[in-house]
Amino acid sequence: MMKNEVFEKSAKPKEDGDKYKFSVLMAVYHKEVPEFFDTAIESILCRQTLRPNEFVLICDGPLTKELDDVLKKYENLFPNITRIYRLDKNGGLGNALAFGLSKCTYSLIARADSDDLCDSTRFEKQIEFLRKNPKVDVLGTFIEEFDTDYKLPVNQKVLPTTHDDICKMATFRNPINHMTVMFKKEIIIKCGSYQHLPYLEDYYMWVRAIENGATLSNLDEYLVHARIGNGMVQRRSNKKYIESWKILNQYMLKHKMVSIGKYFRNLLLIRLFVYMPVSLKGLVYKNILRRKVLGFERDPKATV
């Protein structure tokens, strides 16, 4: 695709004052699939009805030549808004995003993962919601999960939409889909930014944001298509989950967000889940933790 073709198909940034200008924050490391990385960035920079004012991408350690080629492509296409920072070595997602947060110019920050696809209306709808609900500090959305084709989702992840219900869910399960979130930089900095906690960097941050007085909400729309055909279930068998859940729940217990009974319940459940056979874990995901898509037909007007 030629450079001028990309701009012709993309909406021009809407000038709305600095208050509603926003940065997109993404991190990538050497194990990402170049094709998925390419389409993820394309959905952010080439397909949105409201293009971001800044795209901040953190390279978490050295990348492969193929991934670097993808970076060069979009750096050439969008030189005025693309900011690429390279870390000398891989230090984990929490550390990379904490560094990236400090490099974001604008007060609103949208997170995006390096292998998922954003719906073309995602940013426009989130900004519109924040205009109408200025007290909201953290705004997520629902997601659809797919294996190979986003038009054929296999699961849907639906979360509570109101702050009170999100707070209740936070005591036992992550209440925000990280790859969908748009948040106010000030409140995230106030609660300590991203911190290194394997697999739970975002969940830990939402809990701390709640404790620091943030207001959280979820849009009841599927605005991100999350790729799951990449060993997601298998990774939940990593025993690091247990230690991370312990640290998270110790924080909630200390700040009286959970009782001692719920604390031990949560630690027991995560142990059972981690040691559960992968096949059984997959069934739990599909039948309990997700809404299975049956006979689902996507709106033909929906695009990435």
Side-chain angles (χ1 to χ4, degrees):
M1 184 178 287
M2 299 298 291
K3 183 173 181 178
N4 61 337
E5 292 177 333
V6 172
F7 278 94
E8 287 172 1
K9 292 183 179 180
S10 302
K12 294 181 180 179
K14 296 181 180 179
E15 296 300 329
D16 203 29
D18 286 347
K19 185 176 181 180
Y20 292 106
K21 289 183 178 180
F22 66 99
S23 306
V24 171
L25 175 60
M26 177 186 286
V28 62
Y29 80 133
H30 70 280
K31 290 187 178 181
E32 294 294 352
V33 178
E35 179 186 355
F36 300 164
F37 184 43
D38 190 347
T39 55
I41 298 178
E42 182 183 34
S43 75
I44 293 167
L45 296 181
C46 304
R47 304 296 181 187
Q48 289 296 311
T49 55
L50 178 63
R51 188 187 299 149
N53 302 96
E54 180 180 57
F55 179 55
V56 176
L57 196 144
I58 309 303
C59 302
D60 190 12
L63 303 181
T64 64
K65 178 184 181 302
E66 290 77 12
L67 289 171
D68 276 327
D69 287 343
V70 174
L71 286 181
K72 291 176 184 177
K73 169 184 173 180
Y74 289 101
E75 195 172 23
N76 289 333
L77 289 173
F78 300 95
N80 295 329
I81 63 173
T82 302
R83 312 278 184 266
I84 298 173
Y85 298 91
R86 296 178 181 272
L87 303 179
D88 292 337
K89 61 181 181 179
N90 178 267
L93 182 63
N95 291 329
L97 293 179
F99 176 78
L101 190 68
S102 71
K103 299 299 182 181
C104 290
T105 302
Y106 299 104
S107 58
L108 283 178
I109 298 174
R111 268 284 292 124
D113 277 352
S114 54
D115 59 354
D116 296 331
L117 301 174
C118 293
D119 185 89
S120 63
T121 63
R122 176 193 164 184
F123 300 142
E124 181 176 13
K125 287 180 176 178
Q126 287 185 296
I127 290 294
E128 181 182 5
F129 181 93
L130 291 173
R131 282 201 197 100
K132 294 178 179 178
N133 301 274
K135 292 184 179 180
V136 171
D137 301 301
V138 177
L139 176 64
T141 80
F142 298 169
I143 64 171
E144 291 174 347
E145 296 176 333
F146 70 99
D147 286 319
T148 57
D149 185 350
Y150 82 94
K151 295 179 182 178
L152 300 172
V154 294
N155 300 318
Q156 297 171 327
K157 189 175 179 184
V158 176
L159 296 172
T161 58
T162 67
H163 176 75
D164 288 346
D165 287 340
I166 287 171
C167 291
K168 291 175 184 176
M169 186 176 188
T171 63
F172 63 92
R173 188 179 167 198
N174 193 339
I176 300 285
N177 291 314
H178 189 202
M179 73 287 284
T180 74
V181 77
M182 183 177 282
F183 56 72
K184 295 175 181 175
K185 181 177 180 180
E186 180 183 5
I187 190 66
I188 298 303
I189 295 295
K190 178 182 176 182
C191 75
S193 188
Y194 284 95
Q195 296 181 17
H196 181 65
L197 191 65
Y199 303 109
L200 299 179
E201 292 92 349
D202 59 314
Y203 189 0
Y204 189 33
M205 191 165 70
W206 313 142
V207 167
R208 288 183 281 112
I210 291 170
E211 175 61 22
N212 279 273
T215 299
L216 286 66
S217 185
N218 280 310
L219 261 175
D220 58 350
E221 294 194 52
Y222 302 94
L223 296 182
V224 173
H225 312 283
R227 194 183 301 274
I228 61 171
N230 54 4
M232 181 188 73
V233 175
Q234 288 82 353
R235 287 199 302 274
R236 267 55 179 184
S237 297
N238 194 314
K239 295 178 180 61
K240 288 183 179 179
Y241 263 105
I242 296 173
E243 183 59 30
S244 292
W245 266 81
K246 184 177 180 180
I247 293 172
L248 171 69
N249 277 271
Q250 284 175 338
Y251 179 91
M252 291 196 292
L253 181 63
K254 177 181 177 181
H255 293 276
K256 296 180 170 54
M257 299 176 73
V258 296
S259 64
I260 189 68
K262 289 183 178 180
Y263 169 81
F264 284 113
R265 177 205 63 184
N266 289 346
L267 295 189
L268 174 61
L269 289 175
I270 193 60
R271 281 183 173 274
L272 290 174
F273 188 71
V274 167
Y275 285 102
M276 186 183 295
V278 171
S279 58
L280 183 56
K281 197 179 273 103
L283 291 175
V284 171
Y285 260 101
K286 290 181 179 180
N287 296 297
I288 298 176
L289 301 180
R290 298 293 188 270
R291 175 189 293 176
K292 192 172 183 179
V293 179
L294 296 173
F296 181 79
E297 293 185 4
R298 166 162 294 282
D299 182 347
K301 296 180 180 179
T303 65
V304 295

